[in-house]
Amino acid sequence: MFEYKAPLRDHKFVMQELLNSDKHYQTLGYEDANEEMVDAILSEAAKFTEQVIAPINQIGDQQGCHWENGSVSTPDGFKDAYQQYMDGGWPTLSQAEEFGGQGLPHSLNTVVSELLSGANHSFAMYPGLSHGCMSTLEFHGTDLQKSIFMPKLVDGSWTGTMCLTESHSGTDLGLLRTKAEINDDGSYSLNGSKIFISAGEHDLSENIVHLVIARASDSPSGTKGISLFIVPKFNVNDDGSIADENGVSCGSIEHKMGINGNATCVINFDNAKGYLIGEKNRGLKCMFTFMNGARLGVANEGVAASDAAFQGSLAYAKDRLQMRSLTGVKNPKGEADPIIVHPDVRRMLLTQKSIAEGGRALVAMLAQLVDVTHASKNEADKLAANNSLALLTPIAKAFLTETAVDSASYGIQVLGGHGYIKEWGMEQLLRDTKICCLYEGTTGIQALDLIGRKVIGTKGTLLKDFISEIKRFCQVNENSSVSPLCHTLVDYVELWQEVTDDITIKASANADELGAASVDYLMLSGYITLGYMWARMAKTAQDAIKNHQTGTDFYLAKMQTADFYFARVMPKAHGHLACLSNGASTMMNMDSDHFNF
């Protein structure tokens, strides 16, 4: 099993040099989040994830969770690690002070979340689901609901989930069958079953707060009749103390491809007492507070997986001796050269590195936009941040998870036969990572959201704004050391705009053109977006060298990785462009009855 190391140097580069987090935090009023404080928090997070969370990663995969008589026990070490997580105050980091939180920015917690996920994806999901639950309560809950549920969720002694999926409906939430009947006291009784509920039952926390979508008895069919309810595992008194058991039970846990250390549950509601959150029949609006945050969280998991794959691959490639370099002996004292000298191994390593570090920069930029939506006093800035998040969230979620699967696959390939063996951890990483492409909306769902709602649905406004931002950067740096990258980037964004216009025209005549183009369009968008981040990082690295910053090798590596990304990774966008330009006919012309075997 490879040894996980928190990539602090790169996080500090992204936060402090690329995105100027110190100024960002001070502008938004996060006065305690100065550079010294941030460094101290990240150093402690690194120790915790490396020394406590990473060592139980393989144990979680081997043992899995165990279900018996409706109760779930987590793998050895998980309960103790979660207690240490609470004792360290990690759940409170970015939560509001009025509920017992530390009031620090969301973007700082995003870094901690990446470290947790990189060290142990399964463990990180237990507290990770709680963040979305808390955000939804904070934005849409009543004062009484917040006073009852938020303090315990914030300190981590209670955890949260989102219960959406039902066995017959999947993504089509309008088909849900879970019912909610109003009680005399204004609460509701919920009846139904939900599947695929991550962290839906476990032994880590005192209570589990489920956010459940259901249809009230007098509500219309379809998505217009969906409401959102707070349904705790144990009923709760008005003072926040635990009362009796609620009608919530775990019917079983799924036996899965990966993330075995996290319990994926079937949750049954049998006259379970619940409380309406937000307006009746407006549950989807409330739910998307949870969902949008979760999608950025999953993008962050993709970054963590790509980074973990790179770490394991790099350590192996430097140590494994096999064959001689094509250009002559590089390790004269050994019987062979380390495989890192071979071009194809470097292709895989640099692809992993460019995706992990480019993705980290993108997620950090989006996390800072979330900070703006939370804390800015300027309404225009908040609107601009929300617009950017609307466009870039589906790109980040889908692109960074699809490429994370590629990175994990490369990890197995670099290790060769050893990569396929469990003890090295690479095959676990691939199994654990694939789920990221599925939950919180599959890649296809993200692609339809991007092209349908965020691009065509806004008449191209959001995309034009982002393209203008990229072009402004390129114009400012037209005569700088990164001008070759900028010229290439401008060519790509102009192609992006052209193909968008073309799809819009085709889709106006045939809606299938939208679906047929969507995933290729999203992947093209992802490669271009990461190209923008790499151009910015290359410029930041070049400036650091000019200003005689220490650590020249780190900055040179940044610039060289940027060159590799533009030369070897970003051109993959052209393949997606060719595919989507060929239209829907090759997909849709075949009669359904001809799909046989």
Side-chain angles (χ1 to χ4, degrees):
M1 185 72 181
F2 62 87
E3 184 178 0
Y4 176 77
K5 290 294 182 184
L8 291 191
R9 178 65 186 93
D10 199 54
H11 276 294
K12 290 176 182 179
F13 168 78
V14 170
M15 293 178 71
Q16 296 166 0
E17 300 179 63
L18 179 70
L19 299 176
N20 197 354
S21 58
D22 197 48
K23 179 181 178 182
H24 167 76
Y25 292 150
Q26 301 312 307
T27 299
L28 294 177
Y30 292 112
E31 296 178 0
D32 291 337
N34 55 50
E35 188 171 326
E36 183 179 1
M37 170 72 83
V38 169
D39 284 350
I41 289 171
L42 296 188
S43 294
E44 288 302 311
K47 291 178 187 176
F48 179 65
T49 52
E50 291 170 1
Q51 298 172 12
V52 178
I53 304 304
I56 59 173
N57 182 33
Q58 200 168 49
I59 294 170
D61 182 60
Q62 293 168 350
Q63 293 185 359
C65 295
H66 294 278
W67 177 92
E68 187 174 355
N69 297 325
S71 296
V72 174
S73 56
T74 52
D76 290 347
F78 272 52
K79 195 168 184 178
D80 178 64
Y82 188 77
Q83 185 62 51
Q84 292 186 57
Y85 176 77
M86 285 198 297
D87 291 344
W90 297 111
T92 69
L93 194 66
S94 63
Q95 301 304 320
E97 292 178 87
E98 64 180 300
F99 303 119
Q102 299 179 51
L104 291 168
H106 169 84
S107 57
L108 181 55
N109 189 72
T110 297
V111 179
V112 177
S113 295
E114 189 212 304
L115 304 189
L116 283 168
S117 187
N120 189 331
H121 185 172
S122 291
F123 179 89
M125 289 176 66
Y126 287 104
L129 272 296
S130 296
H131 288 289
C133 183
M134 287 184 279
S135 295
T136 306
L137 276 166
E138 193 167 2
F139 277 94
H140 302 290
T142 66
D143 290 341
L144 178 60
Q145 289 169 347
K146 292 177 194 177
S147 68
I148 292 173
F149 293 102
M150 284 295 290
K152 294 291 189 180
L153 285 166
V154 166
D155 70 21
S157 54
W158 296 358
T159 54
T161 77
M162 173 62 92
C163 298
L164 307 180
T165 307
E166 299 182 10
S167 59
H168 63 283
S169 59
T171 303
D172 192 349
L173 301 177
L175 297 178
L176 69 84
R177 294 172 182 162
T178 301
K179 297 292 186 183
E181 298 281 348
I182 193 163
N183 299 319
D184 292 340
D185 62 358
S187 66
Y188 285 78
S189 290
L190 275 78
N191 287 279
S193 293
K194 300 288 184 177
I195 64 169
F196 303 156
I197 309 307
S198 300
E201 166 62 18
H202 54 79
D203 57 2
L204 305 184
S205 60
E206 298 169 358
N207 203 358
I208 301 173
V209 180
H210 302 286
L211 295 187
V212 185
I213 58 168
R215 194 183 315 281
S217 56
D218 58 347
S219 292
S221 61
T223 56
K224 293 181 180 178
I226 293 176
S227 298
L228 186 63
F229 300 88
I230 307 166
V231 187
K233 175 182 175 181
F234 294 100
N235 286 312
V236 182
N237 298 313
D238 285 351
D239 63 359
S241 61
I242 290 178
D244 56 339
E245 260 186 77
N246 201 358
V248 180
S249 62
C250 177
S252 65
I253 57 174
E254 305 293 349
H255 302 283
K256 311 185 295 289
M257 175 181 174
I259 55 167
N260 294 325
N262 192 274
T264 305
C265 304
V266 174
I267 299 293
N268 299 320
F269 301 96
D270 300 299
N271 290 321
K273 181 178 282 190
Y275 308 91
L276 181 68
I277 180 170
E279 296 179 50
K280 186 178 176 181
N281 300 331
R282 298 296 300 276
L284 285 185
K285 177 184 176 183
C286 299
M287 183 200 72
F288 273 103
T289 300
F290 190 120
M291 186 67 75
N292 287 329
R295 286 172 174 171
L296 288 178
V298 176
N300 203 26
E301 289 174 354
V303 172
S306 289
D307 185 74
F310 173 62
Q311 288 193 30
S313 301
L314 180 62
Y316 186 87
K318 286 183 173 181
D319 186 62
R320 174 72 168 180
L321 302 182
Q322 193 166 307
M323 300 187 296
R324 290 297 187 185
S325 167
L326 297 174
T327 55
V329 174
K330 300 295 188 293
N331 178 34
K333 294 182 179 180
E335 58 185 352
D337 290 328
I339 63 172
I340 196 170
V341 305
H342 303 309
D344 189 55
V345 172
R346 289 189 168 227
R347 172 186 65 85
M348 293 184 282
L349 291 172
L350 281 165
T351 300
Q352 292 171 323
K353 179 179 172 65
S354 66
I355 293 297
E357 294 178 8
R360 179 174 294 127
L362 175 58
V363 168
M365 182 182 77
L366 298 183
Q368 284 198 352
L369 293 176
V370 174
D371 291 342
V372 172
T373 67
H374 287 176
S376 178
K377 302 292 192 296
N378 186 309
E379 290 302 318
D381 289 347
K382 292 175 76 169
L383 177 61
N386 274 313
N387 285 342
S388 294
L389 286 166
L391 176 74
L392 296 175
T393 294
I395 296 174
K397 192 277 179 187
F399 182 78
L400 295 178
T401 56
E402 290 289 343
T403 51
V405 172
D406 292 341
S407 293
S409 180
Y410 284 143
I412 292 177
Q413 196 76 11
V414 170
L415 271 66
H418 292 294
Y420 204 66
I421 302 300
K422 286 183 180 294
E423 66 185 270
W424 289 85
M426 276 297 174
E427 62 85 37
Q428 178 193 337
L429 184 63
L430 180 59
R431 289 186 288 105
D432 285 353
T433 301
K434 181 56 187 175
I435 187 61
C436 297
C437 301
L438 306 178
Y439 55 29
E440 314 305 344
T442 62
T443 299
I445 293 298
Q446 304 302 320
L448 285 172
D449 178 47
L450 172 65
I451 195 168
R453 291 192 183 95
K454 308 303 174 55
V455 177
I456 295 178
T458 64
K459 294 181 170 54
T461 301
L462 299 184
L463 179 61
K464 288 174 183 175
D465 288 347
F466 185 54
I467 286 178
S468 294
E469 176 185 329
I470 295 173
K471 286 185 172 180
R472 281 195 299 273
F473 170 83
C474 292
Q475 186 175 15
V476 168
N477 294 286
E478 188 174 12
N479 298 314
S480 74
S481 58
V482 295
S483 61
L485 301 185
C486 287
H487 291 155
T488 300
L489 189 55
V490 168
D491 290 340
Y492 272 98
V493 296
E494 288 179 350
L495 276 175
W496 195 7
Q497 185 64 67
E498 288 173 15
V499 75
T500 301
D501 295 340
D502 183 54
I503 295 169
T504 302
I505 293 169
K506 288 180 178 178
S508 65
N510 178 6
D512 277 338
E513 293 289 349
L514 206 64
S518 60
V519 171
D520 285 300
Y521 181 84
L522 185 143
M523 295 302 290
L524 176 142
S525 303
Y527 283 116
I528 295 170
T529 300
L530 235 62
Y532 173 49
M533 301 313 300
W534 269 112
R536 290 180 60 178
M537 286 192 285
K539 179 64 169 62
T540 302
Q542 181 65 54
D543 288 347
I545 291 174
K546 285 182 178 178
N547 294 330
H548 306 291
Q549 296 274 43
T550 58
T552 300
D553 287 349
F554 174 87
Y555 297 115
L556 284 173
K558 277 289 176 198
M559 295 165 59
Q560 290 165 346
T561 307
D563 288 340
F564 173 85
Y565 182 85
F566 270 76
R568 289 283 185 157
V569 180
M570 198 167 168
K572 294 177 183 180
H574 286 289
H576 293 287
L577 176 64
C579 288
L580 68 88
S581 297
N582 286 326
S585 61
T586 53
M587 294 183 189
M588 306 309 296
N589 283 353
M590 184 183 290
D591 189 284
S592 297
D593 291 337
H594 294 170
F595 281 86
N596 48 33
F597 52 88

